[in-house]
Amino acid sequence: MANTLDKALDIVSALMSENEIKRNGENANLYEEYALGTEVYDYVTTIFQKLNIDLYEYNNALYISAGENNRVFGYTNEELKREIGVRLNRELYLCYFIIYQIISIFYKNAGSRTYTEYIKNESVILAVDQGLMGIVKRLRELNLAEIEENSFKEIAMVWEDMPLTQAEDTVARASRGSKTGFVKLVFNFMVAQGLLIEAEGRYYPKERLKALIENYYDAHKGRLYEIMRGEEDAADKQNQSE
């Protein structure tokens, strides 16, 4: 039993320090121990459940992410604001919305496993423009709680008050002063989290992002997904009636 527990703790330790274990990676032996489905597997899954950490298996690799409301291994709002480079709560909520749009552009349907190869800043700006415009137009139809309605109004105002770019910028840089810069802040955060890779202004999804989307995102879509789904349904009905 001790040897089994030691193997399980080796897997937990490796994932906690590196966030991934791959069958063809440096820790291939640990993946094989987990994949055998023996007591090691049971120990690993139980330990992560107790720690409120989500464990995902995707394309012969293991990934982890802090569970919902995990105050030890996750981020608080204040920590996230510092990490991303924003100051106000409404700016942070706008970052959440931008991340949702990035994921939506990359990945439409869990069943099809089809991904957009890469995205660029301008495609995200367009998606945020359209998403916020659609929600603000249909606030009454969506039957949101007062706090939700006010939150969307606030982030829409933050977004609309920003110019597309700052006049003095010759290249796109991360900043709170323009839509281009704001999206770049979010991109930089996702690159730092090991979710995206950037090459010449193009952002490609890493395997960890795909694992999170197919597992966590699809299983725990949350309130933002419900609101956006409602907005899309309302838009579809409107288009059908025209």
Side-chain angles (χ1 to χ4, degrees), residues 55 122 154 161 177 195 202 205 227 232:
L55 173 64
E122 49 264 36
E154 284 192 12
D161 284 345
L195 301 172
R202 297 176 178 179
I227 293 170
E232 291 167 9

Side-chain angles (χ1 to χ4, degrees), residues 29-240:
N29 61 313
L30 296 180
Y31 179 85
E32 293 301 331
E33 288 286 353
Y34 174 88
L36 288 174
T38 59
E39 286 184 325
V40 174
Y41 171 94
D42 294 333
Y43 274 125
V44 171
T45 54
T46 299
I47 290 169
F48 279 126
Q49 285 172 0
K50 295 294 185 182
L51 293 174
N52 188 19
I53 293 175
D54 295 315
L55 173 64
Y56 311 126
E57 187 170 5
Y58 177 80
N59 276 2
N60 297 320
L62 303 175
Y63 303 91
I64 60 170
S65 178
E68 190 172 356
N69 297 321
N70 189 323
R71 298 301 184 187
V72 178
F73 300 105
Y75 286 106
T76 65
N77 278 358
E78 291 305 314
E79 289 168 340
L80 261 181
K81 283 188 283 188
R82 288 194 295 269
E83 284 289 324
I84 298 174
V86 297
R87 298 176 185 174
L88 306 175
N89 283 338
R90 58 178 175 266
E91 292 176 332
L92 179 60
Y93 300 150
L94 176 56
C95 290
Y96 291 151
F97 191 82
I98 292 171
I99 291 172
Y100 176 90
Q101 295 299 335
I102 289 172
I103 290 172
S104 296
I105 294 170
F106 269 130
Y107 191 61
K108 295 295 185 183
N109 185 348
S112 65
R113 293 197 175 190
T114 56
Y115 286 85
T116 299
E117 182 183 2
Y118 65 84
I119 60 175
K120 300 178 74 173
N121 200 301
E122 49 264 36
S123 60
V124 178
I125 292 173
L126 178 61
V128 175
D129 279 339
Q130 293 176 339
L132 286 175
M133 187 190 316
I135 286 179
V136 170
K137 280 184 176 180
R138 297 184 173 88
L139 282 175
R140 290 185 179 179
E141 298 173 43
L142 294 173
N143 295 318
L144 303 183
E146 183 177 355
I147 189 170
E148 293 173 336
E149 183 173 326
N150 290 336
S151 294
F152 274 109
K153 287 179 179 177
E154 284 192 12
I155 65 175
M157 284 190 291
V158 171
W159 182 252
E160 289 306 315
D161 284 345
M162 286 189 287
L164 179 61
T165 59
Q166 291 183 302
E168 64 273 20
D169 286 349
T170 55
V171 295
R173 64 183 181 90
S175 75
R176 298 164 55 245
S178 70
K179 293 178 179 179
T180 300
F182 207 97
V183 171
K184 182 82 166 130
L185 282 174
V186 176
F187 272 140
N188 286 353
F189 172 74
M190 295 183 73
V191 169
Q193 293 296 308
L195 301 172
L196 299 174
I197 185 169
E198 188 268 341
E200 298 181 348
R202 297 176 178 179
Y203 293 86
Y204 299 81
K206 296 188 72 173
E207 291 296 285
R208 183 164 181 254
L209 177 60
K210 295 179 182 180
L212 291 174
I213 292 173
E214 291 207 6
N215 291 274
Y216 178 83
Y217 181 71
D218 279 343
H220 309 281
K221 292 184 175 73
R223 181 58 178 153
L224 179 56
Y225 176 86
E226 292 176 2
I227 293 170
M228 293 304 298
R229 182 69 262 173
E231 190 278 324
E232 291 167 9
D233 289 343
D236 289 341
K237 290 179 182 177
Q238 179 68 27
N239 292 333
Q240 290 171 5

Side-chain angles (χ1 to χ4, degrees), residues 7-20:
K7 290 178 180 178
L9 290 174
D10 285 342
I11 294 171
V12 171
S13 177
L15 283 169
M16 294 286 283
S17 61
E18 301 174 26
N19 288 324
E20 64 181 34

